[in-house]
Amino acid sequence: MSTHVRHPIWLPALRPADARTFASLYAVESFARATISSVIPIQAYEILHNEQIVSILYTIVSLLGLSVTLFMPMLIRRFARRWVYTAGCLMLAIGSVFFVTHTLPGQLAGMLCRVMGASALSITLNLYIMDHIRKTDFMQAESLRMAWSMFAWTGGPTLGIFLYTRFGIYAAHGAVVVFALALLALFWTYRLGDNPSIRPGKSRPANPLANIGRFIAQPRLRLAWLIAFGRSCFWTTFFVYGPLFMVITGEGKLAGGLLVSAGNALLFTAIFWGRAGKRFGGRRTMTFAYFAMSAMLLLAGGVGAAAPLLTAAFLLCGALFTIALDALGSTAFMRSVRPYEKAQMAAVYRTYLDFSELTPPLVYSLVLTFFGLGSVFVTLGILAAFCGFFTWRYLPKSF
């Protein structure tokens, strides 16, 4: 009897984490972020009453967010990964508390909390995925994750605007708090743990500058960053200049909103792109997607204001091919990063998002001084062709 061990029977048995585990986490997280994605710029304009100052505010937040992202590995080394994820959930909720003050300091603090929370959630979730999903299953797992987020990014912005205009600021941001707490509860229900066998050694540098140098020194990681940067630039352009184009050409704000919603609704095709990547290979599928995206953007820029609805159709086709890169692109990083430096390299890798929000507006502001709005899509099409060439030329055939 002395050797008999009584195991607690009140702990429910959980199945091992799989693709659906991370897809569900990402879907709830997407609702927490997408619900006020359209509310935040409206709030900022109501406070500042100037489009240029709103752009400056977004630039400041993006630069500070880039710094936070680079320092995230230091937090992961200092605290357990689950606590960093928990902090990310809470930062989304705290950000909404700042937003409801409807003041400039509150707006800035809320946007910073939102950026920090998204950074913590993105980096830690990617680390968990690399721990629990086999490399050969990355494509299917990522395509499923993108497909499940379709509901959030299609309905979330509309829900947020509806709550904000119909019931007020507390309703819109209160919904974010509910989603953030639901995400936190779901995460702790899954009881995901760190993989102790692949923790970075104590001798590994945590300094952000050292991590950047280490990342740049590895060609495959540079290519993975370029692939992610190119497709993220499309979404930045699509969300900002797509609706703007529809308004300028006289189609109206509703047409611009419908264009964005239709593009988000296409996320369900991520599952089919994942199957295509598995059948034809990630390298071929991503190269095809980039060149097809480039063709659609060049056609959109060429048609321009002459036929706005046709231009919108070309942009939607471009979104369809970009979703292939959303579904498959991150596998280039996940299959190339070394196990002992995942946290450091994941933080540097995520800077593609910050740069894709900073770089396009700067480049487009220069292009628009000489050409019309259609030149924005042509410029992006050239970048897509550039990314497609490098994907075909340097991504190993084994992908």
Side-chain angles (χ1 to χ4, degrees):
M1 294 297 293
S2 62
T3 60
H4 180 70
V5 178
R6 290 178 58 87
H7 297 281
I9 60 174
W10 48 269
L11 286 177
L14 291 178
R15 58 182 175 81
D18 57 14
R20 287 175 295 177
T21 302
F22 302 110
S24 62
L25 287 172
Y26 188 68
V28 179
E29 176 197 336
S30 296
F31 268 110
R33 293 192 292 115
T35 302
I36 56 169
S37 61
S38 298
V39 174
I40 293 175
I42 294 175
Q43 256 191 259
Y45 183 76
E46 290 175 349
I47 294 171
L48 297 170
H49 305 289
N50 186 288
E51 299 91 336
Q52 186 177 12
I53 300 178
V54 170
S55 298
I56 293 174
L57 176 63
Y58 269 88
T59 301
I60 292 172
V61 172
S62 296
L63 290 173
L64 293 175
L66 176 61
S67 302
V68 170
T69 298
L70 292 175
F71 279 93
M72 196 60 65
M74 299 180 68
L75 295 177
I76 294 175
R77 286 172 60 89
R78 177 65 180 83
F79 304 100
R81 193 185 302 168
R82 60 182 176 274
W83 295 117
V84 176
Y85 191 95
T86 298
C89 298
L90 296 177
M91 291 302 287
L92 293 182
I94 294 171
S96 288
V97 175
F98 282 117
F99 279 127
V100 297
T101 64
H102 207 62
T103 62
L104 180 57
Q107 186 76 12
L108 178 60
M111 292 173 72
L112 286 175
C113 286
R114 178 178 164 86
V115 168
M116 290 188 290
S119 176
L121 292 172
S122 174
I123 293 173
T124 50
L125 186 65
N126 279 334
L127 294 176
Y128 280 124
I129 290 173
M130 288 186 282
D131 279 2
H132 293 87
I133 303 296
R134 294 181 301 176
K135 288 186 176 183
T136 54
D137 295 332
F138 279 156
M139 288 185 187
Q140 289 178 296
E142 287 299 285
S143 61
L144 183 66
R145 186 160 68 107
M146 292 298 108
W148 281 32
S149 70
M150 178 265 299
F151 300 101
W153 290 108
T154 301
T158 303
L159 173 63
I161 290 294
F162 172 77
L163 292 174
Y164 187 69
T165 56
R166 186 72 179 270
F167 300 102
I169 191 171
Y170 287 96
H173 292 288
V176 175
V177 174
V178 171
F179 284 125
L181 295 180
L183 174 62
L184 183 60
L186 182 63
F187 171 74
W188 280 97
T189 299
Y190 287 143
R191 296 202 299 271
L192 298 174
D194 298 2
N195 189 336
S197 64
I198 59 174
R199 287 180 180 173
K202 294 183 179 180
S203 62
R204 284 284 149 195
N207 183 285
L209 294 179
N211 293 336
I212 294 173
R214 182 75 184 134
F215 189 97
I216 294 175
Q218 301 180 59
R220 287 191 180 182
L221 295 186
R222 296 200 305 266
L223 178 59
W225 190 95
L226 178 65
I227 293 172
F229 173 75
R231 48 107 166 169
S232 189
C233 282
F234 175 89
W235 290 120
T236 299
T237 305
F238 183 78
F239 290 146
V240 175
Y241 293 92
L244 182 62
F245 177 82
M246 300 306 287
V247 171
I248 290 176
T249 55
E251 298 298 324
K253 296 180 181 178
L254 178 60
L258 291 174
L259 175 64
V260 173
S261 295
N264 286 329
L266 291 173
L267 282 169
F268 80 91
T269 62
I271 293 179
F272 302 102
W273 284 118
R275 293 175 181 173
K278 187 174 182 180
R279 179 175 180 180
F280 301 107
R283 175 172 169 265
R284 289 183 178 179
T285 306
M286 285 188 279
T287 300
F288 167 77
Y290 256 128
F291 282 123
M293 181 214 303
S294 176
M296 294 300 105
L297 288 167
L298 293 175
L299 288 171
V303 174
L309 295 181
L310 180 59
T311 300
F314 284 133
L315 291 177
L316 284 176
C317 290
L320 175 65
F321 295 116
T322 307
I323 290 169
L325 298 164
D326 287 335
L328 306 176
S330 59
T331 60
F333 169 75
M334 293 180 176
R335 295 178 63 177
S336 300
V337 66
R338 293 184 172 93
Y340 56 79
E341 55 183 7
K342 285 181 179 179
Q344 295 94 325
M345 297 303 101
V348 180
Y349 172 72
R350 194 190 178 276
T351 60
Y352 77 82
L353 189 58
D354 302 289
F355 278 100
S356 68
E357 293 175 351
L358 284 169
T359 308
L362 294 175
V363 175
Y364 298 155
S365 63
L366 178 62
V367 173
L368 289 172
T369 58
F370 301 100
F371 306 100
L373 188 57
S375 62
V376 166
F377 307 129
V378 174
T379 303
L380 182 61
I382 294 172
L383 172 64
F386 175 84
C387 294
F389 169 77
F390 271 80
T391 301
W392 175 258
R393 178 67 179 81
Y394 295 108
L395 194 66
K397 294 181 179 181
S398 57
F399 277 83

